[in-house]
């Protein structure tokens, strides 16, 4: 990967650079040059993110990531030590899309919604970097690579080409495409999924690679197959798909197929030459199934990297015991699953945290919020959590510095000096927690709340405790 950032992304480089080993392009240098245009536009965030992600995938045992649905969530993830961030289309559908709607994961939102969330996250990370750099704190690498969801490409090959360009312009390091029919796309854990032919899925991967080459960025491409649990197919045109067709047709004209791990393996092998990582969407956390998929794909393409969705759609404790859950990711990594992520982490963390705070606030008013604040103080002291000082966190001090530079240090309107944050949040010591008293609700998002604790004297504990 060394020196990749300064090299032209042309045919000579494809052959000489180990970054492109095992990657097939059914086009040549002249095709790219003809489509590139006369002026080179540098996409710094996308390039640096792709290069860093490639290095992490080859230097770390595996790269773990959580789905972020706001810029602030991404900043907290990096501050906590995660090195990559997942940008989920499901979370965009649910609460972060350009339409301002709450949708299921069925491609109902505008196609530029994920690129716009990628842009927002990168801008939040950029602000965090600016704040810390201006304060002389340069110990955190804020520009974590973003792995973004292109779903089924929101249409045909040209849609995939344009969407990939939008992702790169927004600063995505890696983009994944799945093999579902875009007009009938579903979350991988819903029913009614319709696969496109293997040929069409490959063409979308080629479209994405061509877009990255035209823009001169070594963006990683992840190919996802939903064949493990899909039972419908658009076309029988591809010979590779025919062995899984049952012969039945639906009222819509789709072919019924046998979904399952064999079908997923066939598609994973077919996609491997056109992608950097392969992802098989599964219905449950199953190490045996994961190993079967990995061994089959790696037997044909031994250097191909794999990805695994540690999905919140799985009931983890229902499927696995605690010991297996604890070692699950290490065992996946040993099989070749180099990128492992929790797609909907932001959605679940945001909703549960606010529910618990709201319930505690309803029951005990400011006592509940004060306890949340106490926990913030504790995390600040123990782990470097910074959002407790919310004015400084979003850049008030940084823009005070900008103002002082503009006015040669004479501004009297700087905001942080004289603020309540400066006066009240300096050298705050964390408060030690005592047990639950008879007149206090359980601490929202602050710790365990035994089911037998009575939050308000004389009332039903199931109606008064703030935690469940």
């Amino acid at each position: 990967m060394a020196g990749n950032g300064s090299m032209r992304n042309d045919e000579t480089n494809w052959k000489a650079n180990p970054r492109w080993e095992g990657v097939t392009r059914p086009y040549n240098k002249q095709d790219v040059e003809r489509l590139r245009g006369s002026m080179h536009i540098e996409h710094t965030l996308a390039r640096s993110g792709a290069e860093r992600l490639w290095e992490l995938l080859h230097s770390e045992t595996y790269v773990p990531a959580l789905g972020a649905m706001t810029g602030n969530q991404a900043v907290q993830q990096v501050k906590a030590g995660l090195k990559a961030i997942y940008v989920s289309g499901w979370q965009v559908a649910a609460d972060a899309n350009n339409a301002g709607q709450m949708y299921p994961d069925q491609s109902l939102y505008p196609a530029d919604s994920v690129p716009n969330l990628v842009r927002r996250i990168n801008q939040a990370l950029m602000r965090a970097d600016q704040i810390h750099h201006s304060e002389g704190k340069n110990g955190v690498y804020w520009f974590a690579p973003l792995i973004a969801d292109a779903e089924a490409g929101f249409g045909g090959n040209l849609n995939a080409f344009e969407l990939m360009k939008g992702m790169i312009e927004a600063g995505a390091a890696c983009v994944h495409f799945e093999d579902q029919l875009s007009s009938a796309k579903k979350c991988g854990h819903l029913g009614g999924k319709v696969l496109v032919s293997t040929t069409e899925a490959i063409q979308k991967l080629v479209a994405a690679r061509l877009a990255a080459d035209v823009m001169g960025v070594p963006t990683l491409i992840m190919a996802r197959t939903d064949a493990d649990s899909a039972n419908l197919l658009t076309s029988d045109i591809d010979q590779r798909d025919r062995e899984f067709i049952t012969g039945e047709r639906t009222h819509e004209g789709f072919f019924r197929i046998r979904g399952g791990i064999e079908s997923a393996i066939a598609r994973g092998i077919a996609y491997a030459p056109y992608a950097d990582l392969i992802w098989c969407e599964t219905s449950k956390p199953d190490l045996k199934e994961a190993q079967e998929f990995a061994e089959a794909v790696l037997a044909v393409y031994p250097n191909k990297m794999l990805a695994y969705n540690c999905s919140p759609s799985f009931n983890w404790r229902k499927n696995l015991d605690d010991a297996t859950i604890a070692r699950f990711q290490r065992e996946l990594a040993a099989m070749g699953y180099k990128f492992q992520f929790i797609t909907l982490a932001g959605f679940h963390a945001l909703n549960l945290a606010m529910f618990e705070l709201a319930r505690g606030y309803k029951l005990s008013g400011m006592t509940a919020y004060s306890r949340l604040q106490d926990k913030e103080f504790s995390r600040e002291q123990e782990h470097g959590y910074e959002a407790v000082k919310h004015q400084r966190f979003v850049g008030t001090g940084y823009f005070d510095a900008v103002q002082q530079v503009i006015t040669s240090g004479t501004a009297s309107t700087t905001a942080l000096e004289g603020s309540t944050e400066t006066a009240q949040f300096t050298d705050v010591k964390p408060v030690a927690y005592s047990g639950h008293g008879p007149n206090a609700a359980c601490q929202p998002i602050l710790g365990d709340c035994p089911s037998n604790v009575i939050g308000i004297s004389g009332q039903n504990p199931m109606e008064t405790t703030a935690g469940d």
Side-chain angles (χ1 to χ4, degrees):
M1 190 62 190
N4 190 58
S6 62
M7 295 182 180
R8 292 289 305 274
N9 203 15
D10 59 22
E11 191 171 55
T12 302
N13 208 19
W14 301 339
K15 294 178 179 178
N17 192 335
R19 163 65 179 89
W20 305 118
E21 183 178 350
V23 172
T24 296
R25 290 173 168 88
Y27 49 83
N28 57 37
K29 173 183 176 180
Q30 288 72 32
D31 293 324
V32 173
E33 290 293 344
R34 186 173 67 255
L35 298 172
R36 181 172 280 169
S38 60
M39 178 178 289
H40 174 68
I41 308 298
E42 181 58 47
H43 301 283
T44 305
L45 289 175
R47 175 179 292 282
S48 63
E51 292 174 351
R52 181 167 174 80
L53 180 59
W54 184 263
E55 292 168 1
L56 289 170
L57 289 168
H58 287 82
S59 61
E60 304 279 325
T61 304
Y62 68 95
V63 177
L66 299 174
M69 59 191 302
T70 74
N72 277 198
Q73 283 190 333
V75 170
Q76 298 302 344
Q77 290 178 16
V78 175
K79 180 64 176 177
L82 294 182
K83 298 179 180 179
I85 295 168
Y86 180 66
V87 185
S88 158
W90 192 104
Q91 292 189 152
V92 165
D95 201 20
N97 60 76
N98 295 353
Q101 296 282 352
M102 183 167 72
Y103 283 131
D105 185 20
Q106 296 179 279
S107 292
L108 295 170
Y109 57 82
D112 59 344
S113 295
V114 174
N116 282 341
L117 180 56
V118 169
R119 187 174 291 106
R120 284 175 54 197
I121 289 174
N122 269 324
Q123 288 173 169
L125 297 174
M126 190 181 303
R127 179 73 73 230
D129 177 72
Q130 290 168 345
I131 292 167
H132 285 78
H133 185 71
S134 71
E135 296 173 351
K137 301 174 183 177
N138 294 304
V140 176
Y141 185 87
W142 288 101
F143 298 99
L146 307 189
I147 295 86
D149 183 355
E151 301 210 358
F154 281 87
N157 298 337
L158 300 182
N159 298 88
F161 179 83
E162 286 295 294
L163 180 56
M164 185 66 169
K165 287 170 59 181
M167 293 287 199
I168 292 170
E169 290 169 348
C174 174
V175 182
H176 70 77
F177 290 79
E178 62 201 60
D179 54 7
Q180 290 190 48
L181 175 65
S182 59
S183 61
K185 184 258 190 275
K186 307 286 196 308
C187 167
H189 301 107
L190 292 174
K193 294 184 291 295
V194 183
L195 301 181
V196 297
S197 70
T198 297
T199 297
E200 182 176 337
I202 289 173
Q203 287 177 350
K204 288 184 180 178
L205 298 176
V206 172
R209 184 74 72 190
L210 177 62
D213 288 341
V214 165
M215 300 183 83
V217 180
T219 310
L220 281 76
I221 295 173
M222 187 188 304
R224 164 177 147 177
T225 180
D226 284 87
D228 185 49
S229 59
N231 294 299
L232 299 172
L233 176 69
T234 58
S235 167
D236 64 351
I237 193 64
D238 194 307
Q239 181 66 39
R240 291 166 290 192
D241 297 330
R242 291 176 188 169
E243 66 174 295
F244 303 104
I245 296 175
T246 65
E248 302 173 70
R249 300 287 292 272
T250 69
H251 290 295
E252 301 91 342
F254 299 132
F255 293 84
R256 293 196 181 276
I257 58 171
R258 292 182 291 103
I261 192 65
E262 291 183 3
S263 178
I265 287 170
R267 287 190 171 234
I269 291 172
Y271 303 158
Y274 307 96
D276 300 295
L277 299 104
I278 304 295
W279 164 13
C280 172
E281 185 71 302
T282 62
S283 300
K284 60 183 182 300
D286 187 328
L287 287 169
K288 183 178 179 182
E289 183 182 61
Q291 184 170 12
E292 183 179 358
F293 181 83
E295 288 180 349
V297 173
L298 297 180
V300 183
Y301 298 100
N303 296 320
K304 196 60 61 175
M305 296 179 290
L306 307 175
Y308 195 93
N309 176 11
C310 299
S311 176
S313 293
F314 305 154
N315 186 331
W316 285 81
R317 291 192 185 278
K318 186 175 181 179
N319 284 281
L320 304 173
D321 58 42
D322 288 349
T324 305
I325 292 173
R327 69 172 190 271
F328 192 84
Q329 291 184 285
R330 294 194 302 273
E331 293 201 15
L332 285 178
M335 298 174 193
Y337 291 92
K338 297 290 291 183
F339 181 64
Q340 301 178 34
F341 53 112
I342 302 177
T343 47
L344 317 183
F347 173 88
H348 286 280
L350 183 153
N351 279 284
L352 179 59
M354 182 49 69
F355 176 81
E356 291 193 341
L357 174 60
R359 191 159 184 247
Y361 184 60
K362 172 182 179 292
L363 297 170
S364 59
M366 286 309 300
T367 297
Y369 188 79
S370 179
R371 284 176 172 154
L372 180 150
Q373 202 171 57
D374 288 343
K375 187 168 186 180
E376 286 191 296
F377 295 150
S378 173
R379 294 298 180 262
E380 180 183 40
Q381 295 285 331
E382 296 171 5
H383 304 297
Y385 172 79
E386 296 180 329
V388 64
K389 296 184 177 70
H390 46 259
Q391 308 283 13
R392 175 262 175 203
F393 181 79
V394 299
T396 302
Y398 174 80
F399 283 98
D400 279 352
V402 172
Q403 180 76 309
Q404 291 289 28
V405 171
I406 293 169
T407 63
S408 300
T410 64
S412 60
T413 58
T414 54
L416 207 53
E417 184 178 354
S419 67
T420 57
E421 181 170 290
T422 300
Q424 298 179 34
F425 287 75
T426 302
D427 298 326
V428 176
K429 291 183 171 56
V431 176
Y433 302 128
S434 58
H436 298 289
N439 296 313
C442 295
Q443 302 167 13
I445 74 169
L446 301 184
D448 296 332
C449 180
S451 61
N452 63 341
V453 171
I454 296 179
I456 299 176
S457 182
Q459 295 187 9
N460 187 324
M462 294 306 291
E463 297 178 349
T464 57
T465 53
D468 293 320

